[in-house]
Amino acid sequence: MIPLKRRKVVPTGAGNTGSEETSPNKFPQVVLFLLERKMGASRRAFLSQLGRKKGFQVEELFSEGITHVICENNSGDEVIAWLESQVRGRGRATAHLLDVSWFTESMRAGRPVEILDRHQLQQQQIREVEVVVFSAPSYACQRRTTLDNHNAILTDALSLLAENAELSGEDGRGVAFRRAAGVLKGLPEPVTAVTQLVGLPCLGGHSLRVVKDILENGASCEVEDTKQSERFKVLKVLTGIFGVGVKTAERWIQEGIRGLQQLQDSGRTLNRAQQAGLQHYEDLNQHVTRSEADAVAAVVEEAVASVLPGARMTLIGGFRRGKLTGHDVDFLITHPEEGREVGLMPKVVSWLESQGFLLYQKTTKNSYLEGEDGPARPSSNMDRFERCFSIFKLTEEVNGEGLKPWRAVRVDLVVSPISQFAFALLGWTGSKLFERELRRWAGHKKAMSLSSHALYDNTQRRYLRASSEEEIFAHLGLEYIPPSERNA
Ligand code: UTP
Ligand code: MN
């Protein structure tokens, strides 16, 4: 159903000759336009007069206010082409495209009859003449981005270019592509022409070119070339090993390593994380499902409850945003009494280890200290929580295939004191772009420094406390965006 556009009703009459008998406009929500094409001028004049007699408003000229376009013997395509020439540059044409049968039945009934399928001219294509020009605020944290992405082909392409830039150490370019993809992810419908994007933020010339290529040619050469590029493929494989970053992968490539087997045969010394990463390569590069995440959650819940009754555990990361799959599972643990969380992580890890759930783990200590004069450098306050990077051995009751009794799953555990819980929750729910944009907003718009630990107001020179995510959004002067709408 095409939405009817409400319009101010202007009395007709002006367009009618004085001799014509017209009734007052009885149906103010209906404004008719009869297409002369194929109908012919005299029949059109006759039908228009008939309509006015019955109390309908019939316009001579096509305009935005028309709600019903009546056509005879025209194909949907022909009408759409004609309409497109009329609405160009003037926003949405939201009219029903109807066969003359709707008109004659309405005349017979003396009122606008219900529009049935048989009255409609190729409804599918009407959408194409809607010249929607999109708009959106600049910061991802001002937008509501659900998982319902209507432009996945475009955003996948831009994300791939972002990934390639990141793998090439060009982080600035990477962010630009991520922002562009972020804007497109939030659009309410598929983009059909680049002209719809003119008013949007974050879409630079490069991103627009990629979008244009895909819309016009079905693919972007740059994206296709990147996908096929040897360097990109090898970098993806090597950085796909848990514990291997871009720097290490680059070094190995320079040393002639092109794949996993070659790496294994080369006898390179790998650290503990990389060894585990290589050993469980296939499992760790296979998506974690929601039911697997739930199975891990049950285990972590039990561990936490066993070592510190009263401690709370929350699923964070992509799964909290409603994603159905993820590359890992993330949990935030706290205790409602400040200080009780101290020493919790080693106990949880020991419990998990004793139960045989861990294939690998590395714990980092909490190194966060609140400075009297605020955070020293914004970045130095990131990720200073007690944190455990681990690989779980998850028995696959959920899988049931019986091929392998267990699989390896990446699990991140984070412990925060209750006083920082809201900041940690917000900071670890993601998406990465949403987080980045929140911090950019805080810095640029509010002269504040936001981290996963705290919010510091540089003007007032004090920390702003919060016990919920809602309060943090309020401090930042932002509308609250729930996790499911942070999928930028
Ligand atoms: P993830 O990398 O796990 O991403 O980080 P994700 O959104 O859950 O998506 P998957 O796992 O690929 O499906 C989760 C959040 O934690 C923050 C990131 O900013 C992200 O928003 N995070 C992650 C940190 O703050 N620090 C880190 O070291 C890692
Ligand atoms: Mn995650």
Side-chain angles (χ1 to χ4, degrees), residues 353-391:
E353 243 161 5
S354 70
Q355 303 283 317
F357 282 115
L358 295 183
L359 295 163
Y360 166 89
Q361 68 84 15
K362 183 175 194 277
T363 307
T364 59
K365 290 230 172 69
N366 180 353
S367 62
Y368 177 77
L369 268 180
E370 216 162 75
E372 280 276 320
D373 309 318
R377 278 179 297 126
S379 60
S380 69
N381 258 345
M382 300 310 298
D383 307 320
R384 299 297 193 84
F385 286 114
E386 197 166 17
R387 179 175 175 186
C388 175
F389 304 86
S390 74
I391 300 177

Side-chain angles (χ1 to χ4, degrees), residues 42-275:
S42 57
R43 180 161 160 80
R44 177 177 188 250
F46 166 75
L47 292 177
S48 298
Q49 204 180 334
L50 178 66
R52 290 184 190 118
K53 262 190 212 160
K54 300 271 183 186
F56 286 79
Q57 182 176 344
V58 184
E59 296 283 299
E60 288 299 321
L61 299 174
F62 184 80
S63 72
E64 265 186 278
I66 302 296
T67 59
H68 297 58
V69 178
I70 312 299
C71 320
E72 193 165 36
N73 298 326
N74 279 273
S75 76
D77 285 343
E78 289 168 323
V79 178
I80 285 158
W82 184 86
L83 264 180
E84 211 161 359
S85 71
Q86 300 297 305
V87 299
R88 187 164 293 137
R90 275 190 282 142
R92 296 171 85 107
T94 49
H96 295 281
L97 298 195
L98 301 173
D99 182 72
V100 71
S101 59
W102 178 86
F103 180 86
T104 50
E105 286 168 36
S106 297
M107 293 307 112
R108 216 174 296 140
R111 58 174 173 80
V113 296
E114 188 189 349
I115 296 171
L116 303 175
D117 278 351
R118 64 187 166 81
H119 295 134
Q120 313 233 26
L121 284 194
Q122 311 213 11
Q123 171 110 39
Q124 285 309 307
Q125 297 192 39
I126 295 175
R127 302 198 71 84
E128 292 182 12
V129 304
E130 294 181 352
V131 186
V132 183
V133 176
F134 298 111
S135 69
S138 320
Y139 289 79
C141 53
Q142 296 173 286
R143 304 191 296 259
R144 296 176 182 273
T145 314
T146 65
L147 288 167
D148 198 10
N149 179 355
H150 300 282
N151 288 286
I153 292 173
L154 301 177
T155 59
D156 284 352
L158 291 170
S159 301
L160 184 126
L161 294 181
E163 192 181 4
N164 185 51
E166 288 155 3
L167 288 173
S168 311
E170 300 174 49
D171 290 346
R173 240 155 57 86
V175 171
F177 285 128
R178 297 263 177 226
R179 286 211 186 108
V183 168
L184 299 184
K185 278 183 194 172
L187 297 182
E189 50 191 277
V191 176
T192 52
V194 266
T195 49
Q196 296 175 290
L197 308 178
V198 285
L200 287 176
C202 310
L203 283 161
H206 196 156
S207 295
L208 282 176
R209 209 158 58 238
V210 173
V211 169
K212 188 166 187 281
D213 283 346
I214 296 173
L215 292 177
E216 289 173 5
N217 313 319
S220 144
C221 289
E222 187 182 359
V223 173
E224 297 312 309
D225 288 351
T226 304
K227 265 189 216 167
Q228 296 309 317
S229 116
E230 203 52 35
R231 203 189 120 76
F232 178 73
K233 286 196 272 191
V234 174
L235 273 171
K236 274 207 75 151
V237 169
L238 295 180
T239 56
I241 305 170
F242 172 65
V244 177
V246 177
K247 292 256 162 61
T248 307
E250 286 275 11
R251 198 179 66 240
W252 287 344
I253 290 175
Q254 267 170 22
E255 291 167 6
I257 288 171
R258 293 287 176 273
L260 300 181
Q261 193 58 51
Q262 221 178 341
L263 176 64
Q264 219 146 16
D265 297 345
S266 75
R268 290 244 164 359
T269 37
L270 303 177
N271 65 29
R272 227 165 39 84
Q274 295 162 348
Q275 285 171 27

Side-chain angles (χ1 to χ4, degrees), residues 272-321:
R272 227 165 39 84
Q274 295 162 348
Q275 285 171 27
L278 200 52
Q279 198 179 343
H280 304 293
Y281 185 85
E282 267 197 38
D283 276 1
L284 299 185
N285 280 282
Q286 192 194 316
H287 278 152
V288 182
T289 64
R290 176 71 211 210
S291 56
E292 286 167 338
D294 290 339
V296 175
V299 172
V300 176
E301 185 93 66
E302 195 184 342
V304 170
S306 314
V307 301
L308 182 62
R312 279 173 20 202
M313 178 211 85
T314 310
L315 182 64
I316 48 177
F319 287 110
R320 180 163 184 251
R321 302 196 306 276

Side-chain angles (χ1 to χ4, degrees), residues 316-319 321 323 325-330 410 412 428-429 432:
I316 48 177
F319 287 110
R321 302 196 306 276
K323 277 178 65 177
T325 61
H327 95 283
D328 66 359
V329 197
D330 312 284
R410 273 273 299 114
D412 271 4
W428 284 83
T429 295
K432 286 194 189 73

